[in-house]
Amino acid sequence: MSVESKKTREACCSKLKLFLASLAFVYFAKAFAGAYMKSSITQIERRFDIPSSLIGVIDGSFEMGNLLIIAFVSYFGAKLHRPRLIGIGCLIMAVGSFLVALPHFFQGLYKYETSVSHKAAVNSTETILPCLSNHSMTDADDTLDAETKLECEKAAGSPMWIYVFLGNMLRGIGETPVMPLGISYLDDFSREENTPFYLACIHTVGILGPMFGFMLGSFLSKIYVDTGFVNLDTITITYKDSRWVGAWWLGFIVTGTVVLLSSIPFFFLPKSLPKQGQEQEEIQSKSTELATKTEQEQFLPEETQEKVKFQEMAKDFIPSLKRLFRNRIYSLIILASLVIVNGFIGLITFKPKYIEQVYGQSATKAIFLIGILNLPAVALGFITGGFLLKRFKLGIVGAARVAISASLGSFCLLAVQIFVQCENAEVAGLSMSYQRVPQVSYNPQTLLSQCNGHCFCSVKHWDPVCAYNGMTYASPCLAGCQTSTGMGKEMVFHNCTCINEAGLAANASAVLGQCPRKDDCDIKFKIYMALSVIGSYISACGGTPGYIVLLRSIQPDLKSLALGMQTLIVRTLGGIPPPIYFGALIDRTCLKWGTKHCGGRGACRLYNANAFRLTYLGMITGLYFLANTVWGYLYYSIVKRQKKIALKNQSKENGQESNAVTNGHANINIADIDDMGTECTI
């Protein structure tokens, strides 16, 4: 081979590697932005004072945007300039991220629920009377007329969550071309044996995105939302408080910038590349180019490849769909993916809130631990799965065996997590465990008792204080506190009548914030995180093998369409509904709802931990059980089909010995079997 030929071949390989690196960076960028969105769900819910069901709709808007164009992008995009389409998609994603952050600059300052006594104590160290100061505040929000409420809501920017919804939808639209066009482009021009390793590399780099996204979310959740615009010394809550809102908007500016940078390389990549590993003489040969049958070349005749006509492309769309869904293996993979994605989306969306409410950890710590523990375990799992495929040269049956084993292992560990629980937080009048104090009798509907009945407290506001007896009260007034000293976060309340009547502490004082959980809850939380991390690793081990089962079960010329339809179906039915119905069911476990600044129900402040745990993990476990059942049938179908293929192949070799051509490798088309009607390259 001449020096010039070697240089040309090296240039072709370098372009493929450049595409591989660019695609890996895009996977990182989109995962970075997506994970940050997940980590900011709680902050957005609190900032806009909306329930979990509505935040589920906002979270599902990403899949809604994806749904709008995924089928057309997957099919028609395969015939156009795929790298350039990916670059355009990245630009749209960046615009969407910036749009999500926009409401912060139009809204007023964040006003959290707090008592009048806190406001009075901000600029004064004088003793105030929490019990008496709320006398004129009892259910004051009910006195607002409709016009006043409307003006108040307009000033507070209540409908601003619409911008978050639309921005997230734009992110979904922009993300559409990345997976189907990127993976098919890579698979078209790389060696078949290298594809699993390349996919593992892409997913491994991509999983670093969620890791950094959750870490960024953890960092920004400690920074107050209006930092730089308010005197932080006047803020009476900390990042551990359920009313705290971090600088959620800043992260979307950061992630949008990263996504914008990731788009640049794709505008300089060619429409197609020579097949990896071909000799230069073969590359220059026109007949070999046709024999390669890359995806773009198979769809259209040679004379129309440069000038694509929409009608000619659309003519084959419906027949292609029919051919695709006649493939039983493909249909079962779609069904299994659909069920397991329902469980995964519900799990990852509300996991920070679950850790916060069930184990008493702050939202900041929950987000940080997910990013620093779970996600590296997932990355290691993807590497392990790709290594197993390459090391043992597993075919479709071996890949399916690894995938179902990983799915079963993660399901078992998930089921065990249901039994790792902590007791409900002890809040006067709300937690059942509080009945252990017979000296104090609370009305659970009003939170009032004989110890605070003379205070005329507002029962709608959530402004918790922790007594020295280890119990939490919904507000200083409801604790019957008579006086207070200090200011800001250092305020201490004294002579609290409800604490005195409980008789559990000599010091009838309370400080701001909820009481921490019992010591044994920290141990249980560590057990839960250990099970969660191991389960994440085992589940990820089946990620790459499952993807290979999908790629090897479809016709080469339907690859982009198959990947696009999988994305369409899974994201439509597996990405949009779960945050909504998970959120609606979780809302049913709420014990104490917050109150909006203008009146009305806001975000939930306290959940029934046991009901939350059974609802959240029970639904996820049930979905994973169903997914494993489908995977079992899928594995049975693959093995059965392989046996039929072997018998058919053996029959052909015996009956047509003179016409058989063998080279030591199997490249079997399942479409050749009359009763199957599908095609599969193994």
Side-chain angles (χ1 to χ4, degrees):
M1 183 182 294
S2 66
V3 175
E4 183 180 353
S5 298
K6 288 182 178 180
K7 288 182 178 180
T8 305
R9 185 178 178 183
E10 288 174 0
C12 295
C13 293
S14 66
K15 287 181 180 179
L16 181 63
K17 291 177 181 177
L18 175 61
F19 179 81
L20 177 63
S22 302
L23 187 63
F25 184 47
V26 167
Y27 263 67
F28 167 85
K30 75 184 185 69
F32 179 47
Y36 181 76
M37 181 69 190
K38 293 291 184 184
S39 71
S40 301
I41 286 294
T42 302
Q43 309 296 324
I44 295 173
E45 178 182 353
R46 294 172 182 173
R47 182 63 183 93
F48 297 98
D49 258 331
I50 53 180
S52 297
S53 54
L54 183 53
I55 202 67
V57 174
I58 293 174
D59 185 64
S61 63
F62 181 88
E63 278 72 28
M64 295 177 192
N66 204 279
L67 164 66
L68 293 175
I69 61 172
I70 181 65
F72 297 100
V73 167
S74 300
Y75 183 73
F76 298 114
K79 308 167 185 62
L80 303 174
H81 198 300
R82 285 180 280 184
R84 196 168 294 165
L85 285 178
I86 295 173
I88 294 172
C90 292
L91 292 178
I92 297 174
M93 274 196 288
V95 172
S97 294
F98 296 141
L99 184 60
V100 171
L102 195 61
H104 172 75
F105 301 98
F106 294 104
Q107 283 183 301
L109 298 179
Y110 173 55
K111 296 180 180 179
Y112 55 88
E113 292 176 75
T114 185
S115 64
V116 173
S117 61
H118 287 198
K119 296 176 183 178
V122 165
N123 297 316
S124 175
T125 58
E126 65 182 7
T127 299
I128 57 172
L129 307 175
C131 180
L132 299 179
S133 65
N134 278 336
H135 177 79
S136 62
M137 212 182 129
T138 307
D139 299 336
D141 53 284
D142 289 338
T143 63
L144 295 175
D145 56 42
E147 184 177 353
T148 305
K149 280 188 177 182
L150 185 62
E151 292 178 358
C152 181
E153 289 178 359
K154 185 176 180 181
S158 298
M160 286 290 181
W161 60 265
I162 294 291
Y163 288 94
V164 182
F165 178 90
L166 294 176
N168 203 34
M169 181 178 286
L170 268 183
R171 287 183 54 248
I173 292 174
E175 193 264 354
T176 303
V178 175
M179 192 278 288
L181 301 188
I183 297 300
S184 63
Y185 187 91
L186 184 67
D187 194 48
D188 279 346
F189 304 117
S190 65
R191 293 174 187 254
E192 185 174 323
E193 61 269 23
N194 287 341
T195 301
F197 179 70
Y198 289 159
L199 288 177
C201 290
I202 290 171
H203 286 299
T204 301
V205 174
I207 206 63
L208 295 176
M211 192 170 110
F212 282 93
F214 275 96
M215 291 178 68
L216 179 65
S218 175
F219 173 74
L220 293 179
S221 65
K222 288 185 178 181
I223 301 175
Y224 190 64
V225 60
D226 293 319
T227 186
F229 297 95
V230 296
N231 181 4
L232 297 181
D233 292 334
T234 66
I235 305 301
T236 60
I237 58 176
T238 68
Y239 67 88
K240 296 181 180 180
D241 196 287
S242 61
R243 295 164 293 168
W244 177 272
V245 175
W248 62 274
W249 54 274
L250 186 57
F252 287 103
I253 295 177
V254 174
T255 56
T257 303
V258 173
V259 173
L260 185 64
L261 292 175
S262 72
S263 69
I264 297 174
F266 290 97
F267 293 102
F268 300 96
L269 285 165
K271 182 177 180 181
S272 62
L273 291 171
K275 185 75 173 177
Q276 189 182 35
Q278 284 183 338
E279 298 295 330
Q280 178 64 22
E281 291 78 9
E282 292 176 332
I283 295 173
Q284 293 176 344
S285 172
K286 182 178 178 180
S287 60
T288 304
E289 287 179 358
L290 294 175
T292 303
K293 289 188 179 180
T294 61
E295 198 165 345
Q296 290 177 321
E297 293 165 344
Q298 287 177 0
F299 278 110
L300 300 175
E302 182 181 358
E303 62 271 12
T304 61
Q305 284 186 17
E306 292 300 324
K307 189 175 181 180
V308 179
K309 295 182 180 179
F310 182 83
Q311 291 182 346
E312 294 178 355
M313 293 188 297
K315 187 169 54 178
D316 193 45
F317 182 66
I318 299 301
S320 296
L321 279 180
K322 291 180 180 179
R323 291 167 56 205
L324 184 63
F325 283 100
R326 286 197 191 106
N327 187 335
R328 187 173 61 179
I329 298 295
Y330 177 77
S331 299
L332 286 173
I333 292 173
I334 294 294
L335 181 59
S337 301
L338 178 61
V339 176
I340 205 164
V341 166
N342 265 264
F344 174 76
I345 293 296
L347 184 149
I348 196 65
T349 301
F350 295 102
K351 187 168 186 174
K353 178 179 286 190
Y354 176 79
I355 293 174
E356 181 183 9
Q357 294 292 331
V358 175
Y359 297 104
Q361 307 296 320
S362 67
T364 298
K365 184 176 181 180
I367 295 169
F368 177 77
L369 290 176
I370 293 172
I372 205 69
L373 295 177
N374 287 88
L375 297 178
V378 172
L380 185 60
F382 276 122
I383 295 174
T384 303
F387 173 78
L388 289 175
L389 291 178
K390 188 171 180 66
R391 173 67 177 81
F392 298 102
K393 299 180 180 179
L394 299 177
I396 188 172
V397 176
R401 192 177 293 122
V402 173
I404 192 173
S405 299
S407 183
L408 283 171
S410 62
F411 166 75
C412 293
L413 289 173
L414 184 64
V416 174
Q417 294 174 24
I418 298 179
F419 304 100
V420 183
Q421 60 175 318
C422 291
E423 294 182 4
N424 281 327
E426 293 185 337
V427 181
L430 291 175
S431 300
M432 295 301 294
S433 61
Y434 216 76
Q435 293 179 351
R436 66 183 177 86
V437 188
Q439 296 91 336
V440 182
S441 176
Y442 284 92
N443 183 334
Q445 299 297 324
T446 64
L447 303 180
L448 297 178
S449 174
Q450 65 272 20
C451 65
N452 59 29
H454 62 286
C455 295
F456 301 99
C457 305
S458 171
V459 297
K460 292 190 175 183
H461 292 84
W462 176 254
D463 195 10
V465 293
C466 177
Y468 284 93
N469 59 10
M471 299 178 188
T472 300
Y473 295 83
S475 72
C477 183
L478 289 171
C481 299
Q482 304 298 315
T483 60
S484 68
T485 57
M487 58 182 293
K489 300 182 183 71
E490 306 302 323
M491 188 178 296
V492 180
F493 301 91
H494 306 284
N495 301 325
C496 304
T497 56
C498 292
I499 300 175
N500 279 329
E501 289 192 21
L504 297 179
N507 186 350
S509 301
V511 295
L512 289 171
Q514 285 184 248
C515 296
R517 298 294 181 90
K518 295 179 179 179
D519 293 338
D520 64 337
C521 192
D522 286 335
I523 298 175
K524 292 177 180 178
F525 174 63
K526 292 176 182 177
I527 295 173
Y528 165 78
M529 285 304 301
L531 291 171
S532 177
V533 170
I534 297 172
S536 298
Y537 169 75
I538 294 175
S539 179
C541 286
T544 303
Y547 213 80
I548 291 300
V549 172
L550 173 63
L551 286 175
R552 297 294 174 260
S553 299
I554 51 182
Q555 291 176 302
D557 63 315
L558 295 178
K559 201 176 300 174
S560 275
L561 180 62
L563 293 175
M565 291 307 299
Q566 186 225 18
T567 304
L568 170 66
I569 295 171
V570 170
R571 285 193 165 167
T572 303
L573 302 178
I576 299 174
I580 300 173
Y581 67 75
F582 266 84
L585 291 173
I586 288 172
D587 278 343
R588 296 173 67 89
T589 68
C590 184
L591 290 176
K592 177 61 179 175
W593 289 96
T595 303
K596 291 184 178 181
H597 175 61
C598 303
R601 194 176 78 173
C604 184
R605 304 303 186 191
L606 181 71
Y607 291 87
N608 183 324
N610 288 329
F612 193 147
R613 173 178 54 84
L614 293 175
T615 301
Y616 174 75
L617 288 181
M619 291 181 61
I620 296 171
T621 304
L623 289 168
Y624 271 60
F625 175 79
L626 181 59
N628 276 280
T629 303
V630 177
W631 259 112
Y633 182 65
L634 173 61
Y635 177 73
Y636 169 78
S637 300
I638 291 174
V639 172
K640 184 178 179 180
R641 179 168 291 183
Q642 288 296 99
K643 290 180 179 179
K644 288 184 178 180
I645 292 173
L647 291 174
K648 184 73 175 180
N649 190 49
Q650 185 177 5
S651 176
K652 284 185 177 181
E653 289 180 352
N654 293 336
Q656 302 174 0
E657 190 70 27
S658 60
N659 296 328
V661 178
T662 60
N663 57 4
H665 298 280
N667 190 10
I668 305 169
N669 287 329
I670 297 181
D672 293 338
I673 303 176
D674 296 334
D675 61 338
M676 294 185 183
T678 61
E679 190 171 329
C680 176
T681 303
I682 303 170

